[in-house]
Every structure is written in structure tokens, then in C-alpha cells.
Amino acid sequence: MYDFFSQNASKQRVFLLHGLGGAGKTQIALTFIEEECSLFTDIFFIDASTQSTIEAGLSEMAVAKTSGRSHREALQWLRTTQEKWLVFLDNADDPKLNLNAFLPRGRHGNVLITSRNPGLSVYAGANHRVSDMEEEDAVPLLLTSAAQDDTPENQKIAGEIVKELSYLPLAIVQAGAFISRSGALESYLSLYHTNKARLLSEVPTQSHDDYAWTVYTTWHISFDRLSPTAATLLQLCSFLHHKGISEKLFSAAADYQVKTYGPTKEEVEQPVEFLGRFKGSTGAWDSLQFMDVTNELRAYSLINYDAQTKTFSIHPLVHAWSQSILTESAAYKSCMTSIIGMQITALAPEEEDLAVLLLPHIDSLLPGDVTHLVVVPAFDLEYGVLYLYTGRFAHAEKLLVPALATRCAALGDDHFETLVTMNHLATTYLRLGRLREAEAMQSIVVKKGTLLLGPDHQYILVAINNLAVMYAGLGRYEEALSIQVDLFEKEKRILGEDHVNTLRGMLNLAGLYTLLKRFDEAEEIQSAAIEKLKKIKGEEHLDTLHAIASLGVIYMKKGRLEEALELQSTVLRKQEESAGEDLDTLTMMGNIAVTYREMGRFDEAERREVHVLQTRKELLGENHPDTLLAMSNSAWTYHLLGRFEEAEKLGVEALEKRRAVLGDSHPDTVDTMQRLMKIFEASGKKEKQEELRVVLQQVESRSEP
């Protein structure tokens, strides 16, 4: 059990068991007392739920020890006796109750407190949170409560049940009581999924212990004691993900200013009023007021705080319950959706990491696939931009298209905010692989934006950079290079050599030189940019790692394969640790596969390329240029492995799609043609090889100046 006390302790010991657990805390305490009862001469059980129950329990103690009849006389006896006593104060949950008046003074004895209020830790020499159990303890508790045999089959079923109950002791005990009465161990989960509220509210006929409250009763009692602001905050947070809730999410939203476009004053009236409750007399955000409210919720263990991450979390069952009791669910959800939208407007472009942290909350607010995406209309732009930042490109398009239409109608085609929205949508089309649409829209942004803001405005410089990237994607490398060289010189002059946008320009230049096979120039610029990134952003920043990975590609192109593989492998490992398997990770995997192929390690290349191709199909679709690159690479690796039938099938598909998506004259399409000709040659299909040679000659003749 827990080694809380020592027989040789020279001073009084106070220990706190706290959390949501209810019966779980009591059960742990009782188990400890039962196992260690030989340590104590006297053990006193007191219901500490109210002042009157504590006074009554102490008065009974005074009578039992013939020291008087009042609670004060009981405390006097505890102070003066030399016996090794234990006072068990159970369910001291009311945060408004001052427990200090009922703790005996002196150097002897022990006090064990169970509570949902972690604030009582000020009295305790040690405390332990028992809200969630480990599975190895939760499964036996359920089987014992349910009066079920401890067989491997029952353990497996019980493991699934306690996981669904998020290992909450009180919920486990309650489930066990129902199962013991009904025998429904195997069917409990299906019943729970359709009758959660009823099962968690049902009082068992036979109780596992003296704890009389059910899971839902416990929370209802606590909720009814909350201030209106604390109750509202809890229910608003029930629409967010149950982890990673930060004060900044609300404080940044509180700075929102109503603009002439976007949400009206009436549309944000409700969230503005709520956030205003945390503002001081000057109108600035008051962290102390926010802390007072969160401390109130913590006092009832309705939320938890992680001091290391500075974020709050809500137990999953409390999270679901607090939303289920809402009578105006749509209004609360709309308010929380607006608060997130207001928070997004406060994000700076360099805070993309914060955007990633917001994504789980947005997924909780707006569940379902992109076809069912519904957002408060006034914040469609904000949510669309965040989806763009975080790689949800289809979601971004669904919101940015109507956002652009709204701004065109309200502000006109030439308004700055219209152009900003158009730029976001053009970038979304680029990410979706719809390069022609992206380039057409971005050209309009650059043309109109230059007239509106001037050629040296920072926003225009970014828009021009995006246009150069789109030219590169379309295979127009020389045009892209011409734009990028001029832009780089301008950014150095206007922004300085170490500005993040200037560094971005350096990296884009290196990328274009790589595409144009000017590898020495590419390496020189890429290496210089990496050194600057290390100083400005740090060696482990994702931007630095991505730049190093690109240097590995340059090394590979130059035939420095061992150096390339070492760089790429190191960066991929760090990328996976930091970001998981996202699109950037897949790009690095694909590049490593090419390096393995160049080294003659075809099996290793093939294994990675199959994974990259399949995952890109799932994430980007079968016609995305990145998917087609993976398809072409896989076809060529099959050819090198002598698997000509697979190589031909995949190569033909890659060529057909690249011709449709990129056009015949795109360098990637031409590369696929050349590879497929060699595949036909290797498999003895001379006629198909010749047909493709004719097509290739026609393409080359059209490309000649």
C-alpha cells in the first residue's frame, strides 16, 4: 500500500488523498487502515462533509474516551494523549469549510483526509491524487465490485470497461454494482454507450462501501455550489479537448476588437461579455481574476492544473457530463467557437506552433469530416487560415471560398482584406496541388496588391515569394528564379539579411538551384541559410531541421550519398519525435528512399516508398503532385528491382496523371516519360517505347524557343 506513517514518528502526520474518486479515495483509505491497523491504538472515523458532521463525530469521540461531550473536548484529548491514534476525516469536499479548526494540535497521532479539494494539501505532509487508477488496480476493483471471477477472459472485458470509464474509481465501483446485480459484464459497454447518463446516475441497491453519492450526483452537487462564472467556464471548456486548455486561449481572445468587416458587435456580444469578467478596472486582462475562477473549479476537482505545461485538463467523464447538462448547448458552443475565432485573430504568423496546439480544441468543437464542417459564419476566415497553417487544406478551402465571396461583396475586389483572403486561398490551392488555380489567383494578388500598397510593402514581398513558389511547382524554374533573385536582393535591403523572410528567400533560391541542377550554388546558399537559422531559431527548431534535410538532398544529388544519408536520417528521427508523421515527415522519408536507391539499396528504398505513396494517397489524394512524385519513384525502384510488370503498371498510371495534372511539358512529366521508356525497353516492349519517344520529341519541340 502506501508507506504514509511510521510507528517511530516524533510528530503528528497529516496525509491527504484527493481527486474525483469519491468511493475510490475512501476505499484506498480503508484498505490502508485495514492493513496497518496494528500501528494504531485508536482509529476514529468521521464524516467530514460538513461542519456539523465533523462536530458530531468529534463529540462521539469525546464521549467514547470519557473526556467530555463536545468536539472541543475531543480535540483536547487528541492533543494531550500519548497514544498512537488515527483520525480519518472522510469526504472533506466543501472548499468553503475551514478544516483547520478541526485538526488536533500536538506532536502525536495521525490524520488521514479524503477530499476532492487539492487545496487541503496545505495541511498535509504528503498527498496523493487518486482520481485515476492504474489499469492493474482498476481491473481487480471492477471484478471485485461486480462479484465476477478473476479469469483471463473477464480481465480482458474488465480492462475495456475501466478504460472507457477513464479509470475513475467511483465510476468503476458504480459499474461493478450494476454488473453484480445484472450479471451484464460482457454487455456492459454496449449498455453504457447508449445509457451513459442513466448508468452513472443510478444508485446501487448494495453499496461497495459507505459512500452514498453516484458519479453524476457528486458532480451535480459540486456544480450547484459554483459561482456563475466558474460554471460557465467549465461548460464552455466542455466543447474543447479535455487536455491542453490554457489561460492564453481566453486572454488573447479578450483583446479582440470588432472591425468594419467580419463579425458584428452583436455576433460577439456573448463571448465579449464573458471574457470581460476577467478584465480589471483598466480593461486589461487580469490573470488573478482568472486564477480565482480556475481555483474554484480545482477546489472541487472539476479541473486539474499542470504547473509544468501551464495548462488545465478536465477528466474525460466530467468533460462529457458538463456538456450533457447544458440546456442551451447551441448557444454555449457558438460562444466557445467565437472565442477560438477571436483567439486566432491574435495569432502572429510566427506562432504556427500555437496554431497546432489549438487544433485538438477545434476538432472537438467541430467534429466530423470536411463535408459537415460548420463554423460561426463570421469567423470562417480565421478558422480557414488556421486549417491552412496546420495542414488541413480541404477544410481550409471549404471555409476560405465563402470567406472570399463575403469580402468581395462587402469590401470590393481591390480591398486589402479581400486580397489577404485571396492570398490564403491561393496558398491553399497550392497545398492541394491545384497549381494552375493557385498561380492564377496569386498573380491577381500581386498585381492588385502592388498597386494598393506599393512594390516594397512587406505583404507584397510575401505574395511575390508565393508566386515564385507556384511558378516552380508548375515547372517554370527560370521564371521562378528570376523573381526569387530580385526578391532576395530587395528583402536583404528592406528587411535585413537575418530577417526570417530573407532566410526563407535564401532557402527558396537554394531549392530552385537544385531543381536547375546548379548544385554547387545550391549548397553554398543552403549552408549559409542553415548557419543563420541555427543562430536565430536554434539547432532543434523544425525550420532548421527542414533546411538541413534539404541540404541532405543536395548532397545526394552531388553523389555524396553517405553524408546525405547521415543528415537525412538524423533529421527524420528528430522530425518524427517532434511532429509525428506529417507531410514534412513523408517528404523526408521519400528523400531518404531516393538516397537508398542511389546507393543500390533497393529493398530499403522500396519499403519506404510504398509507405510514402500509400500515406500520401490517404492525406493528399491520388492526383496531388506529391503523390504522383511518390508513384513515379516507386515505379522506378520496381524497375531497378527487376519487377517490370509492377514498374510498368505504376509508371503508366503516374504518367497519365502527371500529364493531366501538370501538363506534358512539365519537367516532372518529362522525367516520368523518360523513365517509362526505359521500363518498356527492359521489358522488351519496343512499340510502346517508340510511341512514347514520339510524344517526348513533340513535347521537346514545343518547348524550344
Side-chain angles (χ1 to χ4, degrees):
M1 197 55 192
Y2 302 102
D3 184 19
F4 299 155
F5 309 110
S6 169
Q7 287 180 293
N8 300 317
S10 60
K11 62 180 181 178
Q12 187 183 106
R13 302 288 298 278
V14 180
F15 190 86
L16 172 68
L17 289 172
H18 70 93
L20 285 169
K25 300 189 299 294
T26 300
Q27 186 60 37
I28 289 174
L30 291 173
T31 302
F32 165 74
I33 292 169
E34 181 181 348
E35 292 180 355
E36 306 294 343
C37 62
S38 61
L39 292 175
F40 313 112
T41 306
D42 289 290
I43 301 176
F44 305 101
F45 296 88
I46 297 176
D47 178 1
S49 56
T50 67
Q51 179 173 333
S52 60
T53 59
I54 297 176
E55 289 179 352
L58 288 171
S59 296
E60 291 177 9
M61 180 198 306
V63 171
K65 303 308 294 185
T66 65
S67 61
R69 304 182 63 84
S70 71
H71 70 277
R72 293 185 181 86
E73 288 167 313
L75 291 172
Q76 176 63 25
W77 181 84
L78 291 171
R79 277 195 296 269
T80 57
T81 185
Q82 298 298 308
E83 298 178 16
K84 295 182 176 63
W85 50 261
L86 168 67
V87 174
F88 176 27
L89 297 173
D90 194 22
N91 299 322
D93 293 336
D94 187 351
K96 297 182 178 67
L97 176 63
N98 183 4
L99 204 62
N100 183 60
F102 303 106
L103 293 177
R105 305 294 188 268
R107 297 176 58 84
H108 301 281
N110 302 277
V111 179
L112 181 56
I113 305 168
T114 65
S115 174
R116 281 176 293 139
N117 181 9
L120 295 183
S121 60
V122 298
Y123 300 125
N127 66 85
H128 183 74
R129 179 170 180 80
V130 295
S131 177
D132 299 340
M133 304 181 75
E134 297 294 332
E135 183 171 338
E136 61 185 20
D137 297 320
V139 168
L141 176 61
L142 177 65
L143 294 177
T144 300
S145 305
Q148 299 290 309
D149 293 334
D150 190 7
T151 64
E153 183 179 355
N154 284 352
Q155 286 179 3
K156 181 180 179 181
I157 298 171
E160 295 172 352
I161 294 173
V162 297
K163 181 180 180 180
E164 187 71 26
L165 296 173
S166 301
Y167 307 102
L168 183 68
L170 179 54
I172 294 169
V173 170
Q174 202 168 322
F178 176 84
I179 294 168
S180 69
R181 185 170 72 251
S182 63
L185 180 66
E186 293 184 4
S187 60
Y188 181 82
L189 272 184
S190 61
L191 292 170
Y192 176 80
H193 289 149
T194 54
N195 301 276
K196 181 185 296 185
R198 178 181 167 186
L199 288 174
L200 294 180
S201 301
E202 190 170 278
V203 179
T205 304
Q206 304 298 326
S207 178
H208 186 71
D209 51 35
D210 295 331
Y211 193 83
W213 295 349
T214 68
V215 173
Y216 274 18
T217 302
T218 301
W219 299 334
H220 272 296
I221 290 171
S222 297
F223 185 80
D224 289 342
R225 293 173 176 172
L226 294 175
S227 66
T229 300
T232 301
L233 179 61
L234 178 67
Q235 292 184 304
L236 286 173
C237 289
S238 72
F239 289 97
L240 303 176
H241 191 272
H242 67 275
K243 290 183 178 180
I245 301 169
S246 68
E247 178 184 351
K248 187 173 184 180
L249 189 153
F250 295 93
S251 63
D255 292 333
Y256 178 79
Q257 298 293 321
V258 176
K259 304 173 184 177
T260 54
Y261 53 88
T264 65
K265 184 177 180 180
E266 291 72 23
E267 286 176 311
V268 295
E269 181 178 3
Q270 196 175 21
V272 166
E273 184 280 325
F274 174 72
L275 295 170
R277 302 180 197 181
F278 303 103
K279 291 185 175 182
S281 57
T282 62
W285 181 263
D286 188 340
S287 288
L288 184 58
Q289 287 185 224
F290 188 81
M291 187 182 298
D292 287 341
V293 174
T294 55
N295 282 345
E296 184 180 350
L297 293 170
R298 292 177 65 197
Y300 290 103
S301 283
L302 292 172
I303 65 171
N304 304 311
Y305 181 67
D306 187 327
Q308 185 173 359
T309 62
K310 294 182 172 57
T311 59
F312 299 92
S313 63
I314 308 174
H315 191 280
L317 292 185
V318 177
H319 185 260
W321 165 81
S322 59
Q323 188 178 133
S324 71
I325 62 173
L326 283 169
T327 56
E328 299 179 23
S329 178
Y332 276 83
K333 182 175 183 178
S334 175
C335 182
M336 193 66 247
T337 307
S338 292
I339 289 174
I340 292 289
M342 294 157 71
Q343 206 270 356
I344 296 172
T345 63
L347 282 176
E350 63 270 16
E351 291 186 291
E352 292 185 24
D353 291 346
L354 183 57
V356 173
L357 295 177
L358 277 176
L359 196 57
H361 298 308
I362 292 176
D363 285 343
S364 182
L365 265 171
L366 309 171
D369 60 35
V370 64
T371 59
H372 298 99
L373 191 63
V374 179
V375 174
V376 176
F379 285 103
D380 48 9
L381 174 63
E382 286 75 15
Y383 278 85
V385 170
L386 188 133
Y387 281 130
L388 173 59
Y389 279 159
T390 53
R392 302 283 186 86
F393 307 129
H395 287 62
E397 182 195 7
K398 183 175 177 62
L399 295 176
L400 291 175
V401 167
L404 178 58
T406 299
R407 280 153 183 77
C408 284
L411 304 172
D413 294 352
D414 298 331
H415 193 278
F416 176 70
E417 290 300 326
T418 304
L419 295 177
V420 169
T421 308
M422 190 179 293
N423 180 71
H424 290 313
L425 184 55
T427 303
T428 301
Y429 287 147
L430 171 66
R431 301 303 183 194
L432 286 168
R434 290 154 58 179
L435 300 170
R436 293 186 179 90
E437 293 172 88
E439 185 269 336
M441 187 169 286
Q442 193 67 24
S443 295
I444 295 172
V445 172
V446 171
K447 181 179 179 180
K448 291 189 174 183
T450 301
L451 292 173
L452 181 66
L453 301 172
D456 293 342
H457 191 281
Q458 187 168 337
Y459 178 78
I460 299 305
L461 300 181
V462 172
I464 292 172
N465 173 80
N466 292 345
L467 183 60
V469 171
M470 292 166 190
Y471 280 163
L474 288 165
R476 295 158 61 178
Y477 300 150
E478 293 291 353
E479 292 174 84
L481 181 63
S482 177
I483 292 174
Q484 199 70 63
V485 168
D486 291 342
L487 179 63
F488 178 54
E489 293 302 321
K490 184 176 288 188
E491 286 179 329
K492 281 198 299 183
R493 175 173 52 82
I494 297 172
L495 304 175
E497 293 192 359
D498 294 333
H499 192 278
V500 290
N501 287 1
T502 308
L503 292 179
R504 176 212 59 209
M506 289 181 71
L507 295 171
N508 288 347
L509 267 179
L512 285 167
Y513 283 136
T514 302
L515 290 171
L516 289 164
K517 298 182 172 55
R518 294 164 61 175
F519 301 128
D520 289 339
E521 293 165 280
E523 180 184 349
E524 181 181 355
I525 294 176
Q526 190 77 18
S527 298
I530 289 171
E531 291 308 309
K532 289 180 179 291
L533 282 170
K534 286 180 179 179
K535 293 178 181 178
I536 296 170
K537 295 192 173 184
E539 295 191 6
E540 301 299 318
H541 193 280
L542 283 179
D543 288 349
T544 308
L545 296 178
H546 295 167
I548 294 172
S550 296
L551 181 61
V553 173
I554 296 170
Y555 284 167
M556 181 268 292
K557 296 286 187 181
K558 296 181 72 172
R560 294 159 59 180
L561 301 179
E562 293 294 343
E563 293 174 86
L565 183 60
E566 183 179 357
L567 277 183
Q568 292 171 320
S569 299
T570 301
V571 171
L572 177 60
R573 184 179 66 255
K574 293 179 179 179
Q575 170 76 18
E576 288 175 325
E577 292 172 355
S578 177
E581 190 169 276
D582 63 3
L583 294 176
D584 290 323
T585 308
L586 290 173
T587 297
M588 293 180 190
M589 286 183 181
N591 290 335
I592 285 180
V594 174
T595 302
Y596 277 129
R597 190 179 67 212
E598 293 299 311
M599 299 173 79
R601 296 162 65 173
F602 303 137
D603 288 332
E604 293 171 88
E606 187 260 345
R607 177 168 56 85
R608 287 166 174 79
E609 285 171 345
V610 167
H611 176 74
V612 171
L613 175 57
Q614 184 58 40
T615 309
R616 279 182 173 167
K617 282 182 178 180
E618 294 170 1
L619 296 178
L620 300 173
E622 297 203 356
N623 295 323
H624 193 283
D626 289 351
T627 306
L628 301 183
L629 172 62
M631 192 179 294
S632 180
N633 283 338
S634 291
W636 188 242
T637 300
Y638 286 144
H639 164 70
L640 295 174
L641 285 166
R643 294 158 59 177
F644 302 128
E645 186 175 341
E646 293 169 275
E648 179 182 339
K649 180 180 179 182
L650 204 56
V652 168
E653 183 182 0
L655 178 58
E656 289 175 352
K657 290 180 180 293
R658 273 186 157 171
R659 293 180 75 176
V661 173
L662 302 175
D664 284 355
S665 60
H666 193 287
D668 290 346
T669 308
V670 171
D671 179 69
T672 304
M673 287 185 191
Q674 292 170 338
R675 286 180 172 181
L676 190 54
M677 285 174 58
K678 293 179 181 178
I679 292 171
F680 285 146
E681 181 182 11
S683 56
K685 297 184 177 180
K686 301 294 184 182
E687 290 184 6
K688 288 188 176 183
Q689 181 187 8
E690 186 58 32
E691 289 174 6
L692 203 52
R693 189 190 305 280
V694 171
V695 174
L696 188 57
Q697 287 175 343
Q698 292 172 345
V699 170
E700 291 173 345
S701 64
R702 289 197 300 268
S703 301
E704 292 177 0

